[in-house]
């Protein structure tokens, strides 16, 4: 297991552990950023705010990157890690509401970006696909999801399918950018084809920049969608793939799960196969019983968080 090695720093007659000092500095920065965000944030968690679409660029055959600009270029979104937003649009005379997770850093100023796949039966995704720069979309947030805290876990395993990469990316990109955060991440990311892999350039750059903290293994579910240059997996994630390619001996059901966690996000069939899906009950998100491969491996409900 990865262990933190405390260092010390001398300040006059006072000796402070570096881990403690770093945490104090980071907590102070987070508190200051939180106050700043409240003063300059673009979103409101109590109401929908219209944001203008600045650009919509196609990044795959059915996916676009949408950039929505804030009214003030010095504003931040007001989101925290990990959180999402609600979008609302009047479609065929009905107000349709859908959640999405931005892929920009929470402290990014002036704009907020989304990577969204258009589904044949997706009313909101089809509506977004038709938007042009200058059009506006109603957005509300933040909507809390998983309350990530630096160094709370030693190792976080992530299993994502398709657009389920968004909340994972929000977490590990934020965590890796914080030099005081020593949390390690292992990502298993599944798609139908190589062209469907979202944010691959950004993910690969982070894996190269932080080799001791971030590992990634891709898998293509359909064999006929794999090119001759493909060096990763083919097929669905099973116990062997999860153990060998992502978690190894660092995240196991027998280990100290207070130090580790498994995050899962993807389309319904993917969730059913890996962990079982979460659901809404009386207006609240419920994690639900653990199912699928992770249950077969011996993990418990408290070991897993489903987005």
């Amino acid at each position: 297991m990865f262990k933190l090695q405390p260092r010390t720093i001398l300040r006059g007659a006072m000796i402070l552990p570096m881990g403690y000092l770093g945490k104090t500095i980071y907590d102070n920065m987070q508190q200051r950023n939180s106050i700043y965000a409240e003063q300059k944030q673009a979103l409101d968690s109590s109401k929908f705010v219209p944001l203008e679409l600045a650009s919509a660029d196609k990044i795959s055959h059915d996916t676009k990157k949408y950039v929505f600009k804030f009214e003030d270029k010095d504003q931040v979104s007001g989101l925290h890690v990990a959180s999402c937003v609600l979008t609302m649009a009047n479609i065929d005379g009905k107000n349709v509401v859908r959640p999405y997770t931005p892929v920009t850093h929470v402290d990014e100023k002036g704009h907020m970006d989304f990577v969204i796949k258009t589904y044949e039966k997706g009313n909101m995704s089809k509506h977004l696909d038709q938007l042009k720069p200058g059009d506006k979309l109603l957005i509300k947030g933040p909507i809390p999801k998983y309350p990530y805290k630096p160094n709370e876990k030693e190792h976080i395993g992530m299993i994502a399918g398709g657009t389920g990469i968004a909340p994972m990316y929000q977490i590990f990109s934020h965590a890796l950018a914080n030099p005081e955060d020593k949390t390690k991440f292992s990502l298993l990311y599944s798609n139908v084809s190589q062209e469907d892999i979202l944010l691959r350039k950004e993910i690969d750059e982070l894996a190269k920049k932080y080799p001791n903290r971030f590992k990634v293994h891709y898998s293509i579910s359909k064999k006929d969608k794999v090119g001759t240059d493909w060096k990763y997996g083919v097929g669905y994630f099973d116990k062997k793939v999860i153990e060998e390619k992502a978690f190894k001996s660092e995240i196991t059901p027998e280990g100290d799960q207070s130090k580790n966690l498994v995050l899962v996000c993807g389309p319904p069939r993917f969730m059913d196969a890996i962990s079982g899906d979460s659901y809404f009950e009386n207006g609240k998100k419920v994690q639900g019983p653990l199912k699928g491969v992770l249950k077969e491996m011996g993990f418990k409900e408290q070991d897993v968080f489903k987005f």
Side-chain angles (χ1 to χ4, degrees), residues 185-239:
F185 299 90
S186 295
L187 171 66
L188 282 177
Y189 185 22
S190 174
N191 284 277
V192 175
S193 69
Q194 289 175 247
E195 292 73 25
D196 289 318
I197 301 176
L198 306 178
L199 300 169
R200 185 176 181 183
K201 178 183 177 183
E202 292 83 352
I203 292 170
D204 287 346
E205 286 177 352
L206 289 173
K208 185 177 180 180
K209 187 175 182 179
Y210 303 99
N212 296 322
R213 289 186 59 199
F214 182 52
K215 306 290 184 183
V216 59
H217 178 75
Y218 301 105
S219 184
I220 300 304
S221 58
K222 294 188 177 181
K223 197 171 185 179
D224 60 344
K225 298 290 185 178
V226 176
T228 55
D229 60 339
W230 186 245
K231 62 178 181 179
Y232 296 99
V234 178
Y236 297 100
F237 294 142
D238 56 18
K239 178 181 177 181

Side-chain angles (χ1 to χ4, degrees), residues 238-249:
D238 56 18
K239 178 181 177 181
K240 183 178 180 181
V241 173
I242 292 174
E243 287 180 339
E244 293 182 0
K245 299 298 183 181
F247 304 165
K248 300 187 184 299
S249 61

Side-chain angles (χ1 to χ4, degrees), residues 259-275:
K259 297 179 181 179
N260 305 311
L261 183 70
V262 181
L263 303 178
V264 189
C265 189
R269 289 180 62 186
F270 178 88
M271 297 296 294
D272 288 342
I274 300 298
S275 62

Side-chain angles (χ1 to χ4, degrees), residues 148-188:
Y148 178 79
K149 296 179 182 179
N151 298 313
E152 184 178 51
K153 302 293 182 181
E154 288 189 359
H155 198 144
I156 295 179
M158 297 176 159
I159 307 177
T163 54
I165 189 62
M168 309 296 190
Y169 183 80
Q170 186 187 63
I171 292 174
F172 65 69
S173 63
H174 172 83
L176 294 172
N178 174 16
E180 298 300 329
D181 192 347
K182 306 303 180 185
T183 310
K184 296 171 66 178
F185 299 90
S186 295
L187 171 66
L188 282 177

